[in-house]
Amino acid sequence: MLNIALIGCTGNIGMQTAQIVRTYPSRFRFSALVCGKNGGGLALLKEEFSPRVALRADELPADLSEIFSDCDVALIAASGFAGLRYTLAAVKAGKRVALANKESLVCGGELVNAAVKKYGAEIVPVDSEHSALFRALGCKKETPFERLVLTASGGPFLRKSREELERVTVKEALAHPTWNMGAKITVDSATMLNKGYEVIEAHHLYNAPYERIEAVVHPESIVHSAVIFQDGSMLAQLGYPDMRVPIQFALTYPESLPCEKPLDFSSLGALHFERLPEEKFPCYSLALRAGREGGTSPAIVNGAAEVAVRAFLEGSISFPRIAETIERTVCRVSAKRAETYDDIAEADAQARRVAGEIVHAF
Ligand code: MG
Protein backbone atom coordinates (compact mmCIF):
# COMPACT_ATOMS: atom_id res chain seq x y z
CA MET A 1 0.00 0.00 0.00
CA LEU A 2 1.46 3.33 -1.09
CA ASN A 3 0.60 6.31 1.12
CA ILE A 4 0.19 9.54 -0.83
CA ALA A 5 0.21 13.06 0.60
CA LEU A 6 -1.58 15.08 -2.08
CA ILE A 7 -1.21 18.85 -2.11
CA GLY A 8 -3.70 20.55 -4.42
CA CYS A 9 -6.30 17.79 -4.13
CA THR A 10 -9.25 19.70 -5.61
CA GLY A 11 -7.41 20.94 -8.71
CA ASN A 12 -7.20 19.20 -12.07
CA ILE A 13 -4.19 16.97 -11.24
CA GLY A 14 -5.60 16.31 -7.76
CA MET A 15 -8.92 15.08 -9.15
CA GLN A 16 -7.16 12.84 -11.69
CA THR A 17 -5.04 11.42 -8.85
CA ALA A 18 -8.22 10.66 -6.90
CA GLN A 19 -9.46 8.75 -9.97
CA ILE A 20 -6.28 6.65 -9.93
CA VAL A 21 -6.68 5.87 -6.23
CA ARG A 22 -10.32 4.86 -6.89
CA THR A 23 -9.20 2.56 -9.70
CA TYR A 24 -6.53 0.84 -7.54
CA PRO A 25 -7.88 0.87 -3.98
CA SER A 26 -5.58 -1.99 -2.94
CA ARG A 27 -2.47 -0.15 -4.15
CA PHE A 28 -2.92 3.44 -3.00
CA ARG A 29 -4.33 5.40 -0.12
CA PHE A 30 -4.21 9.08 0.84
CA SER A 31 -2.40 9.88 4.07
CA ALA A 32 -2.95 13.62 3.62
CA LEU A 33 -5.13 15.84 1.43
CA VAL A 34 -4.52 19.58 1.21
CA CYS A 35 -6.48 22.00 -0.97
CA GLY A 36 -6.22 25.73 -1.70
CA LYS A 37 -9.61 27.29 -1.03
CA ASN A 38 -12.16 24.69 -2.12
CA GLY A 39 -13.31 23.48 1.32
CA GLY A 40 -16.44 21.85 -0.15
CA GLY A 41 -14.39 19.74 -2.56
CA LEU A 42 -12.01 18.81 0.25
CA ALA A 43 -14.89 17.67 2.50
CA LEU A 44 -16.12 15.28 -0.21
CA LEU A 45 -12.66 13.78 -0.68
CA LYS A 46 -12.17 13.51 3.08
CA GLU A 47 -15.38 11.55 3.43
CA GLU A 48 -14.47 9.23 0.57
CA PHE A 49 -10.83 8.55 1.43
CA SER A 50 -10.53 9.14 5.23
CA PRO A 51 -6.97 10.55 5.20
CA ARG A 52 -5.19 11.25 8.49
CA VAL A 53 -4.85 14.92 7.50
CA ALA A 54 -7.36 16.96 5.45
CA LEU A 55 -6.78 20.71 5.50
CA ARG A 56 -7.21 23.90 3.53
CA ALA A 57 -4.05 25.94 2.89
CA ASP A 58 -5.14 28.55 5.45
CA GLU A 59 -5.45 25.89 8.18
CA LEU A 60 -1.98 24.43 7.82
CA PRO A 61 0.48 24.13 10.71
CA ALA A 62 3.56 26.36 10.53
CA ASP A 63 5.69 23.23 10.33
CA LEU A 64 4.64 21.55 7.07
CA SER A 65 6.71 18.41 7.78
CA GLU A 66 3.73 17.17 9.85
CA ILE A 67 1.75 16.68 6.60
CA PHE A 68 4.46 14.51 5.05
CA SER A 69 5.54 12.51 8.14
CA ASP A 70 3.76 9.25 7.19
CA CYS A 71 3.61 9.35 3.38
CA ASP A 72 5.61 7.29 0.87
CA VAL A 73 5.13 9.82 -1.93
CA ALA A 74 4.33 13.53 -1.74
CA LEU A 75 2.41 14.60 -4.83
CA ILE A 76 2.74 18.37 -5.17
CA ALA A 77 -0.04 19.58 -7.45
CA ALA A 78 -0.66 23.03 -5.97
CA SER A 79 -0.81 25.75 -8.61
CA GLY A 80 1.82 28.47 -9.03
CA PHE A 81 4.50 29.83 -6.74
CA ALA A 82 2.53 28.58 -3.72
CA GLY A 83 3.80 25.07 -4.57
CA LEU A 84 7.43 25.81 -3.75
CA ARG A 85 7.12 25.75 0.04
CA TYR A 86 5.35 22.37 -0.08
CA THR A 87 8.01 20.95 -2.37
CA LEU A 88 10.77 22.15 -0.05
CA ALA A 89 9.00 20.70 3.00
CA ALA A 90 8.48 17.32 1.31
CA VAL A 91 12.10 17.26 0.16
CA LYS A 92 13.26 18.06 3.70
CA ALA A 93 11.20 15.10 4.91
CA GLY A 94 13.37 12.98 2.57
CA LYS A 95 10.44 11.70 0.51
CA ARG A 96 9.85 10.77 -3.09
CA VAL A 97 8.27 13.93 -4.47
CA ALA A 98 6.01 13.46 -7.49
CA LEU A 99 6.23 16.99 -8.83
CA ALA A 100 3.29 18.41 -10.76
CA ASN A 101 4.08 22.00 -9.73
CA LYS A 102 6.65 23.22 -12.25
CA GLU A 103 6.95 26.63 -10.54
CA SER A 104 8.85 24.86 -7.73
CA LEU A 105 11.74 24.21 -10.11
CA VAL A 106 11.23 27.33 -12.23
CA CYS A 107 11.43 29.66 -9.22
CA GLY A 108 13.48 27.59 -6.80
CA GLY A 109 15.38 25.02 -8.88
CA GLU A 110 18.79 25.57 -7.31
CA LEU A 111 17.36 25.59 -3.79
CA VAL A 112 15.26 22.47 -4.38
CA ASN A 113 18.17 20.55 -5.93
CA ALA A 114 20.49 21.44 -3.04
CA ALA A 115 17.85 20.26 -0.55
CA VAL A 116 17.27 17.01 -2.50
CA LYS A 117 20.97 16.21 -2.12
CA LYS A 118 21.12 17.22 1.53
CA TYR A 119 18.03 15.29 2.68
CA GLY A 120 18.27 12.25 0.38
CA ALA A 121 14.92 12.98 -1.29
CA GLU A 122 13.96 12.27 -4.88
CA ILE A 123 12.04 14.35 -7.44
CA VAL A 124 10.04 12.46 -10.04
CA PRO A 125 8.39 14.66 -12.67
CA VAL A 126 4.65 14.51 -13.33
CA ASP A 127 4.80 17.05 -16.16
CA SER A 128 4.17 14.89 -19.23
CA GLU A 129 7.23 16.11 -21.17
CA HIS A 130 9.61 15.53 -18.29
CA SER A 131 8.06 12.19 -17.49
CA ALA A 132 8.73 11.25 -21.13
CA LEU A 133 12.35 12.40 -20.85
CA PHE A 134 12.71 10.43 -17.62
CA ARG A 135 11.49 7.26 -19.31
CA ALA A 136 13.66 7.83 -22.38
CA LEU A 137 16.66 8.22 -20.04
CA GLY A 138 15.89 4.79 -18.57
CA CYS A 139 14.57 6.43 -15.35
CA LYS A 140 18.11 7.51 -14.49
CA LYS A 141 18.72 11.24 -14.34
CA GLU A 142 22.47 10.76 -14.72
CA THR A 143 22.19 8.93 -18.08
CA PRO A 144 24.40 10.83 -20.55
CA PHE A 145 22.58 12.53 -23.45
CA GLU A 146 23.30 14.95 -26.25
CA ARG A 147 20.03 16.92 -26.41
CA LEU A 148 16.60 17.00 -24.81
CA VAL A 149 13.69 17.71 -27.16
CA LEU A 150 10.50 18.96 -25.53
CA THR A 151 7.37 18.73 -27.63
CA ALA A 152 4.72 21.48 -27.55
CA SER A 153 1.17 21.12 -28.84
CA GLY A 154 1.32 24.78 -29.86
CA GLY A 155 -1.82 25.56 -27.86
CA PRO A 156 -5.02 27.04 -29.30
CA PHE A 157 -3.31 30.01 -30.99
CA LEU A 158 -0.53 28.39 -33.01
CA ARG A 159 -2.07 29.45 -36.37
CA LYS A 160 -3.20 32.93 -35.27
CA SER A 161 -1.46 36.02 -36.61
CA ARG A 162 -0.18 38.70 -34.23
CA GLU A 163 -3.16 40.87 -35.18
CA GLU A 164 -5.59 38.06 -34.40
CA LEU A 165 -3.92 37.48 -31.04
CA GLU A 166 -4.96 41.03 -30.02
CA ARG A 167 -8.58 39.96 -30.12
CA VAL A 168 -8.62 36.40 -28.72
CA THR A 169 -11.05 35.76 -25.87
CA VAL A 170 -10.67 34.01 -22.51
CA LYS A 171 -12.93 31.23 -23.76
CA GLU A 172 -10.67 30.64 -26.77
CA ALA A 173 -7.54 30.65 -24.58
CA LEU A 174 -9.10 28.01 -22.31
CA ALA A 175 -9.96 25.69 -25.21
CA HIS A 176 -6.73 23.68 -25.35
CA PRO A 177 -6.68 21.43 -28.43
CA THR A 178 -5.25 18.28 -26.79
CA TRP A 179 -4.77 18.48 -23.00
CA ASN A 180 -7.31 18.85 -20.20
CA MET A 181 -5.68 21.10 -17.55
CA GLY A 182 -6.37 23.86 -15.01
CA ALA A 183 -7.06 27.47 -16.11
CA LYS A 184 -3.67 29.02 -15.26
CA ILE A 185 -1.59 26.40 -17.05
CA THR A 186 -3.97 26.37 -20.02
CA VAL A 187 -3.44 30.11 -20.52
CA ASP A 188 0.32 29.55 -20.00
CA SER A 189 0.15 26.99 -22.80
CA ALA A 190 -1.60 29.51 -25.05
CA THR A 191 1.16 32.10 -24.42
CA MET A 192 3.89 29.39 -24.54
CA LEU A 193 5.15 30.64 -21.18
CA ASN A 194 4.50 27.07 -20.13
CA LYS A 195 6.99 25.74 -22.68
CA GLY A 196 9.62 28.24 -21.52
CA TYR A 197 9.01 27.05 -17.96
CA GLU A 198 9.41 23.46 -19.09
CA VAL A 199 12.84 24.24 -20.55
CA ILE A 200 13.87 25.63 -17.14
CA GLU A 201 12.33 22.59 -15.45
CA ALA A 202 14.31 20.23 -17.72
CA HIS A 203 17.50 22.21 -17.00
CA HIS A 204 17.10 21.62 -13.26
CA LEU A 205 15.80 18.05 -13.43
CA TYR A 206 18.43 16.67 -15.79
CA ASN A 207 21.31 19.05 -15.11
CA ALA A 208 21.05 20.03 -18.79
CA PRO A 209 22.79 23.15 -20.13
CA TYR A 210 20.24 25.42 -21.84
CA GLU A 211 21.93 25.03 -25.23
CA ARG A 212 21.16 21.30 -25.10
CA ILE A 213 17.40 21.75 -24.64
CA GLU A 214 15.04 22.56 -27.50
CA ALA A 215 11.30 22.77 -28.00
CA VAL A 216 9.49 21.65 -31.13
CA VAL A 217 5.81 22.02 -32.00
CA HIS A 218 3.97 18.72 -32.34
CA PRO A 219 0.23 19.47 -32.63
CA GLU A 220 -1.02 15.89 -32.07
CA SER A 221 0.51 15.60 -28.54
CA ILE A 222 1.33 11.93 -29.02
CA VAL A 223 5.14 12.14 -28.78
CA HIS A 224 5.53 13.55 -25.28
CA SER A 225 9.24 14.37 -25.63
CA ALA A 226 12.49 12.79 -26.79
CA VAL A 227 16.15 12.39 -25.91
CA ILE A 228 18.93 12.47 -28.52
CA PHE A 229 22.00 10.46 -27.52
CA GLN A 230 25.66 10.89 -28.49
CA ASP A 231 25.41 8.43 -31.38
CA GLY A 232 22.61 10.47 -32.94
CA SER A 233 19.83 8.06 -32.07
CA MET A 234 16.66 9.31 -30.47
CA LEU A 235 14.36 7.74 -27.90
CA ALA A 236 10.89 9.17 -27.43
CA GLN A 237 7.90 8.28 -25.29
CA LEU A 238 4.53 8.13 -27.05
CA GLY A 239 1.03 7.91 -25.65
CA TYR A 240 -2.40 9.51 -25.82
CA PRO A 241 -2.53 12.84 -23.99
CA ASP A 242 -3.77 11.67 -20.57
CA MET A 243 -2.19 13.06 -17.40
CA ARG A 244 -3.11 9.93 -15.45
CA VAL A 245 -0.22 8.11 -17.14
CA PRO A 246 2.59 10.41 -15.90
CA ILE A 247 0.87 10.80 -12.48
CA GLN A 248 0.67 7.04 -12.08
CA PHE A 249 4.22 6.52 -13.26
CA ALA A 250 5.61 9.08 -10.80
CA LEU A 251 3.85 7.17 -8.02
CA THR A 252 4.91 3.65 -8.97
CA TYR A 253 8.03 3.84 -11.16
CA PRO A 254 9.92 1.73 -12.19
CA GLU A 255 6.71 -0.27 -12.23
CA SER A 256 3.84 0.88 -14.47
CA LEU A 257 0.18 -0.07 -14.09
CA PRO A 258 -2.25 -1.39 -16.72
CA CYS A 259 -4.23 1.28 -18.58
CA GLU A 260 -7.63 1.28 -20.26
CA LYS A 261 -6.49 2.65 -23.59
CA PRO A 262 -3.07 1.49 -24.85
CA LEU A 263 -1.61 3.42 -27.76
CA ASP A 264 -2.85 1.99 -31.05
CA PHE A 265 -0.78 2.81 -34.15
CA SER A 266 -3.71 2.22 -36.51
CA SER A 267 -5.62 5.10 -34.90
CA LEU A 268 -2.80 7.63 -35.00
CA GLY A 269 -2.63 8.95 -38.55
CA ALA A 270 0.23 11.30 -39.42
CA LEU A 271 2.36 12.96 -36.75
CA HIS A 272 3.70 16.44 -37.48
CA PHE A 273 6.63 18.44 -36.14
CA GLU A 274 7.49 22.07 -36.80
CA ARG A 275 9.54 24.96 -35.50
CA LEU A 276 8.20 26.82 -32.45
CA PRO A 277 7.32 30.37 -33.68
CA GLU A 278 9.07 32.27 -30.86
CA GLU A 279 8.43 35.65 -32.50
CA LYS A 280 4.67 35.27 -32.02
CA PHE A 281 4.92 34.10 -28.41
CA PRO A 282 7.26 36.46 -26.49
CA CYS A 283 6.51 34.74 -23.15
CA TYR A 284 8.58 31.76 -24.28
CA SER A 285 11.73 33.85 -24.74
CA LEU A 286 11.06 35.88 -21.57
CA ALA A 287 11.01 32.67 -19.54
CA LEU A 288 14.12 31.33 -21.24
CA ARG A 289 16.09 34.53 -20.72
CA ALA A 290 15.15 34.48 -17.01
CA GLY A 291 16.15 30.83 -16.73
CA ARG A 292 19.56 31.55 -18.20
CA GLU A 293 20.02 34.55 -15.87
CA GLY A 294 19.13 32.40 -12.86
CA GLY A 295 18.87 33.79 -9.32
CA THR A 296 15.47 35.36 -8.67
CA SER A 297 14.86 36.21 -12.38
CA PRO A 298 12.46 33.30 -13.03
CA ALA A 299 10.53 34.10 -9.83
CA ILE A 300 10.07 37.67 -11.05
CA VAL A 301 8.74 36.46 -14.40
CA ASN A 302 6.44 34.02 -12.62
CA GLY A 303 5.08 36.52 -10.10
CA ALA A 304 4.27 38.92 -12.94
CA ALA A 305 2.73 36.12 -15.01
CA GLU A 306 0.43 35.00 -12.19
CA VAL A 307 -0.90 38.56 -11.82
CA ALA A 308 -1.22 39.09 -15.58
CA VAL A 309 -2.96 35.78 -16.26
CA ARG A 310 -5.48 36.45 -13.48
CA ALA A 311 -6.19 39.89 -15.00
CA PHE A 312 -6.64 38.28 -18.43
CA LEU A 313 -9.00 35.62 -17.00
CA GLU A 314 -11.01 38.39 -15.30
CA GLY A 315 -11.30 40.18 -18.64
CA SER A 316 -9.33 43.27 -17.58
CA ILE A 317 -6.40 42.94 -20.02
CA SER A 318 -5.99 41.55 -23.55
CA PHE A 319 -3.96 38.44 -24.38
CA PRO A 320 -0.81 40.24 -25.67
CA ARG A 321 -0.77 42.35 -22.47
CA ILE A 322 0.23 39.22 -20.53
CA ALA A 323 3.67 39.24 -22.16
CA GLU A 324 3.84 43.01 -21.93
CA THR A 325 3.16 42.92 -18.17
CA ILE A 326 5.92 40.37 -17.65
CA GLU A 327 8.39 42.31 -19.78
CA ARG A 328 7.75 45.60 -18.01
CA THR A 329 7.92 43.96 -14.58
CA VAL A 330 11.28 42.39 -15.43
CA CYS A 331 12.57 45.86 -16.36
CA ARG A 332 11.45 47.35 -13.05
CA VAL A 333 12.39 44.62 -10.55
CA SER A 334 16.07 43.77 -10.27
CA ALA A 335 17.06 40.15 -9.83
CA LYS A 336 19.26 38.93 -7.01
CA ARG A 337 20.83 35.67 -5.95
CA ALA A 338 18.34 33.07 -4.77
CA GLU A 339 20.07 31.55 -1.76
CA THR A 340 17.09 31.11 0.54
CA TYR A 341 13.36 30.64 0.24
CA ASP A 342 12.91 34.18 1.58
CA ASP A 343 15.04 35.64 -1.26
CA ILE A 344 12.67 34.04 -3.76
CA ALA A 345 9.48 34.89 -1.86
CA GLU A 346 10.59 38.51 -1.67
CA ALA A 347 11.21 38.65 -5.43
CA ASP A 348 7.80 37.05 -6.00
CA ALA A 349 6.04 39.60 -3.78
CA GLN A 350 7.85 42.54 -5.39
CA ALA A 351 7.04 41.27 -8.90
CA ARG A 352 3.36 40.89 -7.97
CA ARG A 353 3.21 44.42 -6.59
CA VAL A 354 4.82 45.94 -9.69
CA ALA A 355 2.80 43.79 -12.11
CA GLY A 356 -0.38 44.81 -10.28
CA GLU A 357 0.44 48.48 -10.90
CA ILE A 358 1.23 47.80 -14.55
CA VAL A 359 -2.00 45.86 -15.14
CA HIS A 360 -4.00 48.58 -13.41
CA ALA A 361 -2.50 51.29 -15.62
CA PHE A 362 -3.33 49.60 -18.96
MG1 MG B 1 3.81 19.81 -19.75
Side-chain angles (χ1 to χ4, degrees):
M1 183 68 80
L2 192 89
N3 286 294
I4 304 165
L6 171 60
I7 310 298
C9 62
T10 56
N12 186 283
I13 294 284
M15 296 311 273
Q16 297 196 58
T17 306
Q19 275 184 34
I20 294 170
V21 174
R22 264 180 218 117
T23 310
Y24 299 98
S26 62
R27 301 268 326 214
F28 305 116
R29 66 177 298 274
F30 287 120
S31 55
L33 292 170
V34 174
C35 75
K37 294 188 192 105
N38 183 355
L42 177 69
L44 289 174
L45 292 169
K46 183 183 175 183
E47 195 181 313
E48 182 180 357
F49 295 106
S50 312
R52 180 182 59 83
V53 173
L55 294 169
R56 285 196 318 264
D58 61 353
E59 304 169 326
L60 289 173
D63 179 6
L64 294 177
S65 65
E66 165 57 15
I67 304 168
F68 302 111
S69 59
D70 59 347
C71 73
D72 301 300
V73 180
L75 204 166
I76 311 297
S79 165
F81 178 74
L84 175 58
R85 66 191 194 107
Y86 297 108
T87 300
L88 285 170
V91 165
K92 283 180 183 163
K95 302 295 179 178
R96 175 186 286 190
V97 180
L99 190 62
N101 171 264
K102 67 190 73 183
E103 289 84 350
S104 291
L105 289 175
V106 168
C107 301
E110 290 157 38
L111 207 61
V112 169
N113 276 341
V116 164
K117 244 191 204 157
K118 185 170 170 190
Y119 296 97
E122 179 188 25
I123 302 264
V124 188
V126 171
D127 209 346
S128 60
E129 292 80 358
H130 306 77
S131 178
L133 295 174
F134 187 56
R135 297 176 84 147
L137 291 165
C139 299
K140 289 191 188 76
K141 290 182 182 170
E142 60 284 358
T143 302
F145 59 84
E146 191 59 33
R147 295 183 77 72
L148 304 177
V149 185
L150 297 165
T151 51
S153 69
F157 302 147
L158 181 63
R159 309 288 173 218
K160 295 248 187 273
S161 68
R162 278 184 191 223
E163 295 69 41
E164 287 169 321
L165 285 175
E166 290 282 344
R167 295 185 299 274
V168 295
T169 64
V170 171
K171 201 175 157 206
E172 289 172 300
L174 290 178
H176 195 277
T178 50
W179 289 99
N180 158 29
M181 305 178 290
K184 167 68 167 60
I185 188 172
T186 304
V187 176
D188 287 350
S189 297
T191 62
M192 302 257 188
L193 180 71
N194 182 59
K195 206 48 60 182
Y197 277 7
E198 289 181 350
V199 172
I200 303 176
E201 196 183 0
H203 163 78
H204 289 298
L205 277 170
Y206 303 113
N207 193 22
Y210 282 102
E211 57 277 15
R212 291 200 187 188
I213 312 171
E214 63 187 289
V216 62
V217 170
H218 166 49
E220 293 86 7
S221 297
I222 295 292
V223 176
H224 296 314
S225 278
V227 177
I228 303 175
F229 294 92
Q230 273 87 343
D231 62 1
S233 61
M234 181 188 278
L235 285 183
Q237 187 243 339
L238 283 68
Y240 296 115
D242 180 347
M243 282 310 294
R244 285 174 299 178
V245 176
I247 295 170
Q248 219 171 82
F249 193 68
L251 296 173
T252 61
Y253 108 87
E255 197 189 340
S256 51
L257 296 175
C259 95
E260 7 179 296
K261 202 181 166 201
L263 191 69
D264 172 13
F265 264 113
S266 65
S267 74
L268 283 185
L271 299 178
H272 299 86
F273 301 90
E274 57 190 276
R275 189 184 69 85
L276 190 146
E278 287 178 44
E279 62 290 346
K280 257 189 345 193
F281 299 99
C283 285
Y284 176 77
S285 315
L286 283 166
L288 238 63
R289 202 199 305 155
R292 286 175 184 268
E293 276 170 19
T296 58
S297 287
I300 294 167
V301 165
N302 182 69
E306 289 193 31
V307 169
V309 170
R310 193 181 325 123
F312 171 70
L313 288 171
E314 286 166 355
S316 35
I317 63 171
S318 70
F319 185 79
R321 297 282 204 204
I322 297 173
E324 226 178 299
T325 303
I326 298 170
E327 195 159 12
R328 290 196 199 181
T329 305
V330 167
C331 289
R332 279 177 52 186
V333 180
S334 42
K336 300 196 178 81
R337 291 164 71 130
E339 280 162 357
T340 64
Y341 174 79
D342 289 344
D343 291 340
I344 303 169
E346 195 184 305
D348 170 74
Q350 213 182 338
R352 281 170 201 269
R353 207 161 43 237
V354 169
E357 289 167 16
I358 293 166
V359 162
H360 193 72
F362 277 137

